[in-house]
Amino acid sequence: MPRFTLRYHQTALRLPESGALVLGREPGCDVCIDDPVASRRHARLLVKDGSVWIEDLGSRNGVAVNGVRLKAEPRQLQPWDWFQIGENEFCLRVEGVPAKGPRPDFKTMVSDEKTRCGSEATDFDCAPATRTHTSPLGPVELLRESGRRSLAEPTRPPAQRFQNALNLVQLLCEAEAPTEAQQLLGEAIEQLQHPSVAGTLQPSLASRARIYIARWFPESVRPAAWKARLEILRQAVRAPFPTAP
């Protein structure tokens, strides 16, 4: 019988061989999530017959599995799958099963990101990154330079520049360059301080930024500068961050 472990922040929770665990904001849940975006009873993990399934319990803000929102029916989790509730990311590990295959190369990451952006792909400006064979810069430097140029583009509205920067932040994280990702996100957020931006930023973009900040800087050790940037995000969104029932 496989032995499952759920990784959550810096915690490793050994799952039972069979049974169900409820995740949510309610104190009585098996896994209590301190996040206003989480519903009181948000999701359920079911362990049975050597497999783990996840089910959304009708939450307001949903569950994302490997970046894709979970539908109404339960879904079986595979080793090293991850799922997200609000700012909180969970990873299912199985004893004796190694991590999934190697990361894709840089060009594949750019292509995948453009595909993920769909109709917004034309706004994702990283063309220089696809010309690595003619540039003395490496992939990380090219991404960072693309971010600087995107933030400096005067013809695009601030919210659109912010969205482009978030796409590049994701690629920097995939390229294992957290310092560069943090610098770019910090600069992008600080551009939102202009009075003309107040109330114009889509909440979904602000939530993406909040997830990165929570991942890098847990609240108990969050630097003052990043606390201030969270406040900038709050001022920039069109509506308050949703609090689940």
Side-chain angles (χ1 to χ4, degrees):
M1 186 72 67
R3 302 177 69 178
F4 298 105
T5 300
L6 190 66
R7 294 287 302 183
Y8 166 46
H9 290 193
Q10 303 301 316
T11 302
L13 174 65
R14 178 66 59 81
L15 300 184
E17 292 186 1
S18 64
L21 291 87
V22 174
L23 300 84
R25 201 175 74 245
E26 195 172 76
C29 290
D30 300 292
V31 179
C32 190
I33 303 173
D34 184 15
D35 187 334
V37 175
S39 295
R40 292 185 175 91
R41 291 171 59 86
H42 198 106
R44 175 166 47 220
L45 286 176
L46 178 63
V47 185
K48 64 175 183 178
D49 301 328
S51 61
V52 179
W53 296 74
I54 185 167
E55 177 185 10
D56 189 337
L57 296 177
S59 66
R60 175 175 178 176
N61 295 304
V63 180
V65 179
N66 298 332
V68 178
R69 182 156 181 158
L70 186 65
K71 297 181 180 180
E73 62 273 10
R75 170 171 170 171
Q76 183 177 358
L77 296 175
Q78 303 300 322
W80 293 89
D81 276 354
W82 60 273
F83 63 92
Q84 190 168 313
I85 297 175
E87 297 179 350
N88 306 276
E89 191 172 291
F90 302 79
C91 180
L92 180 68
R93 301 187 182 183
V94 182
E95 188 173 302
V97 178
K100 291 183 177 180
R103 294 177 181 271
D105 60 30
F106 180 72
K107 289 184 179 180
T108 301
M109 292 186 335
V110 171
S111 175
D112 289 348
E113 180 65 10
K114 286 187 175 183
T115 300
R116 191 187 66 80
C117 291
S119 61
E120 299 166 351
T122 55
D123 295 331
F124 177 39
D125 184 8
C126 65
T130 65
R131 299 195 293 267
T132 55
H133 60 287
T134 61
S135 171
L137 300 178
V140 170
E141 290 79 8
L142 283 166
L143 278 173
R144 189 71 183 89
E145 182 60 27
S146 292
R148 292 192 185 99
R149 290 191 299 102
S150 178
L151 291 176
E153 176 55 61
T155 62
R156 291 179 176 175
Q160 187 175 348
R161 295 200 299 267
F162 185 74
Q163 179 175 347
N164 293 344
L166 278 177
N167 292 333
L168 290 163
V169 165
Q170 178 170 337
L171 287 180
L172 283 166
C173 291
E174 290 290 338
E176 299 184 344
T179 299
E180 290 80 0
Q182 291 164 19
Q183 291 173 348
L184 178 58
L185 182 58
E187 293 171 14
I189 292 175
E190 287 169 7
Q191 280 202 0
L192 300 176
Q193 293 184 88
H194 195 277
S196 64
V197 180
T200 66
L201 186 68
Q202 295 178 359
S204 60
L205 296 180
S207 294
R208 283 180 64 187
R210 289 178 70 213
I211 288 168
Y212 284 119
I213 294 171
R215 185 181 304 167
W216 293 330
F217 307 109
E219 188 172 0
S220 59
V221 294
R222 186 168 297 157
W226 284 99
K227 292 179 180 179
R229 288 165 181 155
L230 281 172
E231 183 58 33
I232 294 171
L233 285 172
R234 293 189 182 96
Q235 296 295 328
V237 295
R238 292 174 177 168
F241 292 113
T243 297

